[in-house]
Amino acid sequence: MVNGLARYEFSERLADILGESRRDLRFRVTLMVTGGLVAPGPRGRGSPPASPQYAAHLLIGAMAAPQQSQTLEAIRCYADLRANPVAAGSNAPRVLFGPAMVTAEAEQRPEFLIRLDGLSFGEALAGLLELACAEETRSIVASELFGVQINRGCPVAALQFSACWQGRRAVISHTYGLAPDAVPPAWLDPQRGGVVDPGLLHTVFLPVRKLIEIGLLTTLSDDRSTNRSMPMLNKLGHHVAAIKKMAELAAKTPHGSRWEKLLSALTAVQAWSEQVDSQENRLLEVTAFGSNPGELRMYCHVPERLPANAPLVVVLHGCTQSAASYNKGSGWSTLADRYGFAVLFPQQHWNNNPLRCFNWFKPEDNDREKGEPLSIKQMVDRMLSDHNLDRQRVYVTGTSSGGAMTNVMLATYPEVFAGGAVIAGVPYRTAKGLREGLESIFQGRSRSPREWGELVRAASLHQGPWPKVSVWHGDADTAVKPVNAEETIKQWADIHGLDLQPTIQMMVDGYPRRVWQGPDGNELIESYTVTGMTHGAALDPGAEPHQCGTAAPFFNAVGISSTHRIADFWGLLAEQPASARDPATSGQEAGRSARTSTAGRAGTIDLGQRTCKEEATQKTRPEDDVPGTQEPRSGAGRPFGLDVHGIISASLEAAGLLKPGTSSRRSDSRAPLGIDVPGIISTALEAAGALKGLSQRSASAVPEAMLKTSGWEGSGWELLLDDPRAFRGGSMLYGHASSGDRGALGARAQSISRRIKLGEQPELSYVRRLDLNAGVNDYTSASFRVLIDGQVVDEVTAIGMVHQETEWLRQAAIDLERFANRTVTLTLEVAACSNSYHTVYAKAWVDQIMIHNAVDLACC
């Protein structure tokens, strides 16, 4: 036997997990034994093991039976429930995230690694508990399963999975119901006197976290071939089978638990990568670049009007990432557009490595003129030839396995690269094979600087000069131990003939930076230790000149941009931006320059909570009349574009308490000594009761008037001022739509819109909280959508389910490039649809709406 507890211990622990009485669970176990559902056995420490099948039965009994006496009947009925088929276009309850993708693949049936074909509810639940118990498959359950739902009011159950549906991320319910010839349990059958307390007829939900916790308590047999849940394991496909083999090997090492934790984290990385891959189009794939012995794919990004002899940066992704997702997270193509260099993105194949890691630990893939290093070298040659790039300014960087492969490229082809940057990586030749690779990342391998240096010198016949190296690592990294950064520094310090003591130490953006200079004072090695950061690359997302990238799994928004700092270390930012270097095209590139080198300061419209420049103030600046000196209007402006002074002044003028025209002469930036005169007046008048009558008469119209003043138009939405529930206090938008109440059935939608002019490559971001209640039947729905000119760019739709976001969720870098250089209508919409007289509603709280690279507002 492996793992788990005996029955007597299991029931005690299960009671604690479910929040039930231990006495209650013991009685249910007694009923299972006396009813013949479970074979009797001795009590105490000699009791039989708690198998996944036993656990599934007891779990069903505890969740489905309203009363203890109904335990046996509940288990027999619910365990035998049959699955309702799920097919594309069906009405299976689900929650959809993101806009629908209009592709041929969008209508295909959702693909799950965990298969439930032909299994009853009890068999499926037992199989999931077994998968949760086994180390090699536990991460799969954590990534795919959302939870288990049992309805006590009718014999219905559901297993809810997270997957891709119609091109969107979704939580999909696999529902189970009675077989055609089956009968409901007695307490639900009126013909058998079903009379039970209606208060107990509710839906019970078990999240995946608790199911895994329960699965860990069960006992697996040494021979699992007879288990009825084995089809779930056997149907896992070749990709998961390969991961399973890797996990089995890793489990035999002292670091099995850390490997399991890393696998679980990588599932989130993979999910984000797949989402980006379905939308990203900034990279171009190149084929026929050489013999390609490593069987890699080649992607690149080349800015328009790339200068002659421009630099080249080779970017290597990490495990389960892709070229497109790494570019999205790191922002390298954004920096390339700003400063005029080309970017090459080699991409690993799944069939080369089941986690899509670069094989830095394999001897056949870390030698010169072999495998993956040669494939990448051939890609570099193709880029240099096709785009007339500078062979003396080729650089390489990567994170995690990409960081390890960066060291491989620097060691095997040092004559090709002028510099490299290793992020959360390991030294060259730290491992031979997977087992040593795991030891290296989880524990680290210590060698003397000379030993490390000899490994690099033996990789080629190169005698120097050697590439300069930037090393980045988070000191809270549990996936790749931070000691690997120090060992990497040892390796390259020996290569450059430097002492281990750094020449300079300083703080940059709050993080320690060390620098090793050569005899001529040139910086040859730098190291950033990002305190408090876990595994991944350090980012400072945003539109300012020093910012780029998108926060995501393994891309950590910690206030410093590794991408920007690395490019600066290599000297790529020393020249003027690409648009400024070509006088013939500088006018055409002005929009791009505003988006990139001055993005955020001059190219972001803030429709959220932050403050921005007043249009009137911009027009009164003397330099605005000089051609070429006017910056695009910034969006770091009024809350939701609100002219608060204008609203107060207009109200005072309407009440006859302020002379007309006064508001047009006043600006918040020019208020005497920063004194808010209208605010003082209005507050004083309210305190004196002078405005009481006016405020009572127009209270219901104030939100709509404020929205209209700020440029928003529509109904069903309010502007909540000084609301403590706002993301960071202050103001936020609130929308509400309902159906099924007060006799109103069918689709009901409420929306607000505003006009805005976009630049060349605009992006949208915002924060939100949603409450979508559509859990009436399989046909009721509630949704929140963000639209541009009527096209959905972001969406959450609940069908037959309830979806609540109790914490603020940030949606960042929503690509609006297809609407570039247009004046568009931005719309926020909440909608509900009920087919019965039961209320279905959608509520949305939205804050910090930002459009990067917005040129102007039609009404602001």
Side-chain angles (χ1 to χ4, degrees):
M1 303 295 176
V2 292
N3 291 34
L5 302 174
R7 288 181 188 172
Y8 87 99
E9 295 176 297
F10 175 81
S11 62
E12 308 286 299
R13 298 284 294 277
L14 179 62
D16 295 338
I17 294 172
L18 298 180
E20 301 287 347
S21 162
R22 290 187 173 187
R23 182 177 181 181
D24 177 84
L25 266 292
R26 285 196 295 267
F27 185 70
R28 292 181 191 271
V29 171
T30 300
L31 291 176
M32 290 168 59
V33 174
T34 57
L37 195 61
V38 175
R43 297 194 177 192
R45 298 189 178 276
S47 67
S51 67
Q53 290 73 28
Y54 170 84
H57 282 154
L58 183 55
L59 185 58
I60 291 174
M63 292 179 66
Q67 298 177 359
Q68 291 176 341
S69 60
Q70 298 158 345
T71 299
L72 283 181
E73 194 171 9
I75 295 173
R76 291 192 173 104
C77 175
Y78 282 80
D80 200 41
L81 296 178
R82 299 298 165 178
N84 299 319
V86 177
S90 75
N91 291 296
R94 55 200 182 273
V95 179
L96 304 175
F97 300 88
M101 303 296 294
V102 185
T103 64
E105 298 179 354
E107 297 303 322
Q108 295 179 358
R109 175 174 175 162
E111 290 294 335
F112 297 99
L113 298 178
I114 300 174
R115 304 294 180 84
L116 306 174
D117 307 354
L119 300 178
S120 67
F121 178 68
E123 292 170 337
L125 186 58
L128 288 171
L129 289 169
E130 180 172 340
L131 295 181
C133 183
E135 290 187 5
E136 64 267 24
T137 51
R138 190 176 306 138
S139 61
I140 299 173
V141 178
S143 63
E144 287 208 343
L145 186 67
F146 184 74
V148 180
Q149 192 174 53
I150 291 180
N151 193 321
R152 289 179 171 179
C154 59
V156 172
L159 296 174
Q160 297 176 349
F161 286 85
S162 176
C164 183
W165 178 288
Q166 298 175 351
R168 291 179 281 182
R169 186 168 60 89
V171 174
I172 301 174
S173 280
H174 286 252
T175 57
Y176 293 78
L178 287 174
D181 56 346
V183 295
W187 79 84
L188 296 175
D189 190 350
Q191 297 181 0
R192 289 186 287 168
V195 286
V196 73
D197 183 358
L200 295 178
L201 298 181
H202 59 272
T203 298
V204 182
F205 180 76
L206 182 75
V208 62
R209 173 182 59 81
K210 288 192 175 183
L211 182 130
I212 292 176
E213 191 175 352
I214 295 169
L216 288 170
L217 303 179
T218 61
T219 303
L220 297 181
S221 169
D222 292 323
D223 179 12
R224 293 182 236 171
S225 60
T226 59
N227 288 352
R228 300 178 68 187
S229 62
M230 274 301 294
M232 301 181 74
L233 290 171
N234 294 337
K235 295 177 181 178
L236 288 179
H238 72 278
H239 169 49
V240 178
I243 296 178
K244 178 184 174 183
K245 291 180 180 178
M246 294 180 67
E248 288 175 345
L249 177 60
K252 298 176 183 178
T253 72
H255 311 288
S257 60
R258 298 184 67 180
W259 174 244
E260 176 194 335
K261 183 178 179 180
L262 177 58
L263 283 177
S264 179
L266 287 174
T267 58
V269 179
Q270 179 183 342
W272 185 77
S273 294
E274 291 175 349
Q275 179 184 1
V276 173
D277 288 343
S278 67
Q279 302 171 350
E280 179 69 38
N281 58 4
R282 286 181 60 80
L283 303 186
L284 173 68
E285 184 169 10
V286 180
T287 58
F289 52 84
S291 60
N292 190 18
E295 299 181 354
L296 303 178
R297 299 176 71 177
M298 174 181 176
Y299 292 86
C300 67
H301 175 79
V302 180
E304 296 179 11
R305 303 177 182 87
L306 183 73
N309 294 317
L312 171 65
V313 175
V314 181
V315 181
L316 303 172
H317 63 75
C319 296
T320 70
Q321 294 173 330
S322 65
S325 67
Y326 192 90
N327 175 51
K328 186 81 170 180
S330 63
W332 272 108
S333 65
T334 300
L335 218 61
D337 288 338
R338 292 179 188 174
Y339 294 98
F341 57 85
V343 195
L344 165 64
F345 295 89
Q347 179 173 293
Q348 180 64 279
H349 267 295
W350 288 110
N351 55 1
N352 287 347
N353 185 292
L355 293 176
R356 200 152 68 181
C357 309
F358 287 103
N359 290 307
W360 55 270
F361 50 86
K362 290 185 177 181
E364 63 270 25
D365 286 310
N366 58 26
D367 274 347
R368 185 182 174 96
E369 301 300 310
K370 289 183 181 180
E372 294 172 12
L374 180 55
S375 291
I376 297 172
K377 168 63 165 53
Q378 292 172 344
M379 295 180 196
V380 171
D381 291 339
R382 173 70 185 269
M383 290 291 292
L384 293 173
S385 173
D386 286 357
H387 303 288
N388 192 25
L389 304 174
D390 188 348
R391 293 180 177 271
Q392 303 303 313
R393 293 192 294 166
V394 180
Y395 306 90
V396 60
T397 182
T399 299
S400 194
S401 76
M405 186 55 72
T406 293
N407 267 328
V408 172
M409 297 308 299
L410 293 174
T412 55
Y413 293 98
E415 77 280 7
V416 173
F417 300 101
V422 180
I423 305 173
V426 297
Y428 175 62
R429 282 289 177 88
T430 185
K432 294 180 181 179
L434 177 60
R435 185 183 297 275
E436 289 187 3
L438 293 174
E439 292 176 1
S440 296
I441 65 174
F442 293 140
Q443 179 175 316
R445 288 175 158 306
S446 179
R447 290 187 173 102
S448 69
R450 185 67 178 177
E451 289 174 317
W452 282 124
E454 287 299 328
L455 292 173
V456 173
R457 280 183 282 269
S460 72
L461 299 177
H462 187 68
Q463 299 298 314
W466 297 93
K468 61 192 306 185
V469 180
S470 178
V471 180
W472 292 70
H473 219 113
D475 69 355
D477 191 337
T478 58
V480 178
K481 198 166 184 178
V483 70
N484 284 288
E486 300 306 313
E487 299 301 310
T488 298
I489 292 170
K490 282 185 188 180
Q491 189 166 60
W492 290 103
D494 183 75
I495 288 295
H496 284 288
L498 302 175
D499 189 79
L500 289 182
Q501 184 66 29
T503 311
I504 303 172
Q505 299 186 63
M506 66 189 76
M507 298 295 289
V508 177
D509 291 336
Y511 299 106
R513 177 184 185 241
R514 294 173 290 167
V515 178
W516 287 259
Q517 294 178 329
D520 56 359
N522 288 333
E523 296 183 353
L524 300 179
I525 302 174
E526 71 168 359
S527 169
Y528 281 87
T529 301
V530 187
T531 52
M533 188 180 79
T534 57
H535 189 62
L539 288 182
D540 186 11
E544 295 292 333
H546 63 280
Q547 296 176 315
C548 61
T550 302
F554 287 2
F555 290 104
N556 306 306
V558 293
I560 184 171
S561 172
S562 58
T563 303
H564 191 274
R565 293 287 175 182
I566 289 167
D568 189 34
F569 177 68
W570 291 337
L572 300 183
L573 312 186
E575 302 178 9
Q576 289 180 307
S579 59
R581 292 199 299 270
D582 188 355
T585 60
S586 60
Q588 299 174 2
E589 295 294 303
R592 174 177 298 172
S593 176
R595 179 186 63 84
T596 55
S597 61
T598 60
R601 179 173 56 87
T604 301
I605 294 294
D606 183 348
L607 308 180
Q609 197 174 3
R610 300 179 182 178
T611 58
C612 69
K613 302 174 185 176
E614 295 284 355
E615 182 176 350
T617 304
Q618 290 181 346
K619 291 182 178 180
T620 59
R621 293 184 302 172
E623 60 269 26
D624 286 344
D625 296 330
V626 180
T629 62
Q630 183 174 358
E631 294 180 349
R633 297 185 184 95
S634 169
R638 298 158 290 196
F640 299 99
L642 282 177
D643 180 4
V644 179
H645 285 151
I647 294 171
I648 296 175
S649 299
S651 301
L652 294 175
E653 290 175 9
L657 300 174
L658 192 65
K659 291 183 179 181
T662 305
S663 59
S664 63
R665 298 192 300 271
R666 184 168 49 247
S667 168
D668 58 355
S669 62
R670 299 192 176 197
L673 302 178
I675 298 174
D676 181 5
V677 178
I680 295 173
I681 295 174
S682 60
T683 302
L685 290 173
E686 284 182 335
L691 295 181
K692 182 177 180 180
L694 179 63
S695 63
Q696 287 179 341
R697 290 193 303 270
S698 60
S700 61
V702 167
E704 183 177 350
M706 287 185 175
L707 286 173
K708 189 171 183 179
T709 303
S710 66
W712 293 100
E713 294 185 355
S715 61
W717 286 75
E718 302 175 74
L719 178 63
L720 305 180
L721 297 175
D722 299 323
D723 195 303
R725 298 171 299 174
F727 179 63
R728 289 179 178 171
S731 305
M732 64 178 173
L733 291 169
Y734 167 71
H736 175 241
S738 64
S739 177
D741 52 348
R742 296 186 297 275
L745 300 180
R748 296 288 184 270
Q750 304 284 2
S751 64
I752 54 169
S753 303
R754 67 174 302 163
R755 299 284 287 171
I756 188 168
K757 186 176 180 181
L758 304 180
E760 287 189 356
Q761 290 183 323
E763 289 184 338
L764 168 69
S765 65
Y766 68 94
V767 295
R768 72 165 190 240
R769 285 196 304 109
L770 302 179
D771 183 1
L772 309 178
N773 191 326
V776 175
N777 56 58
D778 289 357
Y779 298 89
T780 54
S781 64
S783 66
F784 165 75
R785 301 196 303 171
V786 181
L787 305 95
I788 300 290
D789 280 352
Q791 299 183 41
V792 178
V793 296
D794 197 24
E795 176 182 9
V796 179
T797 298
I799 302 174
M801 290 177 62
V802 175
H803 174 72
Q804 291 181 320
E805 297 172 354
T806 57
E807 302 291 337
W808 286 97
L809 176 67
R810 180 176 295 279
Q811 295 292 93
I814 299 173
D815 188 8
L816 305 181
E817 189 172 358
R818 62 186 184 277
F819 307 103
N821 300 315
R822 288 164 47 184
T823 299
V824 299
T825 301
L826 168 66
T827 301
L828 306 179
E829 177 191 270
V830 285
C833 182
S834 180
N835 58 358
S836 65
Y837 294 112
H838 293 82
T839 302
V840 172
Y841 63 81
K843 299 178 181 180
W845 295 264
V846 183
D847 201 352
Q848 291 198 342
I849 308 172
M850 304 277 292
I851 296 188
H852 304 275
N853 194 218
V855 177
D856 198 0
L857 282 177
C859 180
C860 183

